[in-house]
Amino acid sequence: MNDDAVAPAIAERALREAERIAEALVFASAQPVSEGFIAERVAKGIDISSVMQRLKADYAMRGVNLVQVDGAWAFRTAADLSFVIRRDDNEARKLSRAALEVLAIIAYHQPVTRAEIEDIRGVQTSKGTLDVLMESGWVRFRGRRRTPGRPVTLGTTRDFLDHFGLEELRDLPGLEELKGAGLLSGRIPANFNVPSPLMSDELTEDEDPITQMDLEELGLLAPGGASDD
């Protein structure tokens, strides 16, 4: 083999080895794995995005697919085979209509406060409803709004995206998709619009990060920073 052929062959072997390592890391993880985490464990100079796209293509027609969730990677059952998978022991609690409404508002309007949720729904939102969404792992505290009272802002989590098969928030269904799924009445107001969800997970200009003192105030930490557990 001449020198002109040696370099590409070595590069291809390195790429294949990186694919094997990436595949093993994602398979062994219970949570989606970031490209940065993978990059730290393969040879330097490897294009991780290219590696993951090649793996994604390899798994595209299999019973298990490699999917991207909020910028990280995970193996998931192929969507068309989900009906054959039974998960009775780990079935998530069925959400009430109120919880579904609140979850939808948070997903599309985040960052949003409890008062803003109540304004959109036109009714009060019980703490129990928010607790259910928090316990499911689909909703989290984002920050605190820079307004009087510094209300807590709410947003969705990576687990929310993962559970509903979304790569990112921009994949949430739009108006026509919601109509097609029968989730909106055919007699909705002419000026009704589905809001565009937030595209970034970063705090907005009117949000402050949640501090340890905030967590204590919210009852998520015992005074002094010790967990209630």
Side-chain angles (χ1 to χ4, degrees):
M1 184 178 294
N2 58 44
D3 291 343
D4 291 338
V6 170
I10 293 176
E12 180 63 22
R13 282 200 298 271
L15 191 58
R16 289 292 183 185
E17 183 63 14
E19 286 183 17
R20 294 179 66 242
I21 293 172
E23 183 178 32
L25 290 171
V26 177
F27 179 82
S29 176
Q31 300 295 329
V33 178
S34 70
E35 292 186 3
F37 181 85
I38 297 170
E40 294 174 355
R41 289 155 178 80
V42 301
K44 292 183 178 180
I46 296 292
D47 183 348
I48 300 301
S49 294
S50 176
V51 167
M52 301 313 293
Q53 290 300 328
R54 283 175 54 146
L55 275 176
K56 181 179 180 180
D58 286 345
Y59 278 91
M61 300 305 295
R62 301 186 187 183
V64 174
N65 297 156
L66 182 64
V67 301
Q68 197 166 17
V69 183
D70 194 24
W73 294 90
F75 283 116
R76 294 292 181 263
T77 303
D80 62 329
L81 298 179
S82 59
F83 70 96
V84 301
I85 306 298
R86 296 183 61 85
R87 295 184 292 181
D88 295 337
D89 294 338
N90 298 312
E91 187 175 358
R93 181 188 307 182
K94 290 185 178 180
L95 297 182
S96 66
R97 178 175 177 178
L100 285 171
E101 289 178 356
V102 172
L103 180 60
I105 290 170
I106 292 173
Y108 282 97
H109 291 266
Q110 59 186 302
V112 62
T113 66
R114 180 172 174 177
E116 290 166 344
I117 293 171
E118 293 175 346
D119 184 55
I120 294 169
R121 294 185 67 215
V123 295
Q124 286 191 332
T125 299
S126 71
K127 182 178 182 297
T129 297
L130 289 174
D131 286 344
V132 167
L133 296 176
M134 291 284 189
E135 290 168 6
S136 72
W138 297 343
V139 169
R140 65 183 177 90
F141 293 127
R142 283 178 49 92
R144 304 202 80 160
R145 185 68 53 77
R146 294 177 183 172
T147 56
R150 298 185 66 243
V152 174
T153 56
L154 299 162
T156 53
T157 65
R158 176 180 288 174
D159 285 345
F160 165 81
L161 296 175
D162 196 8
H163 181 85
F164 290 98
L166 305 171
E167 288 191 9
E168 52 189 356
L169 287 173
R170 72 173 71 244
D171 295 325
L172 282 167
L175 180 59
E176 294 305 317
E177 292 171 294
L178 292 172
K179 284 181 180 179
L183 298 177
L184 289 177
S185 166
R187 293 177 291 180
I188 59 176
N191 62 347
F192 178 83
N193 288 303
V194 174
S196 299
L198 190 70
M199 291 298 106
S200 172
D201 216 21
E202 297 181 359
L203 295 176
T204 58
E205 292 183 357
D206 65 346
E207 286 180 289
D208 287 321
I210 290 183
T211 65
Q212 179 174 305
M213 291 182 62
D214 293 325
L215 294 176
E216 292 176 5
E217 179 183 331
L218 295 167
L220 300 179
L221 285 180
S227 170
D228 289 335
D229 295 335

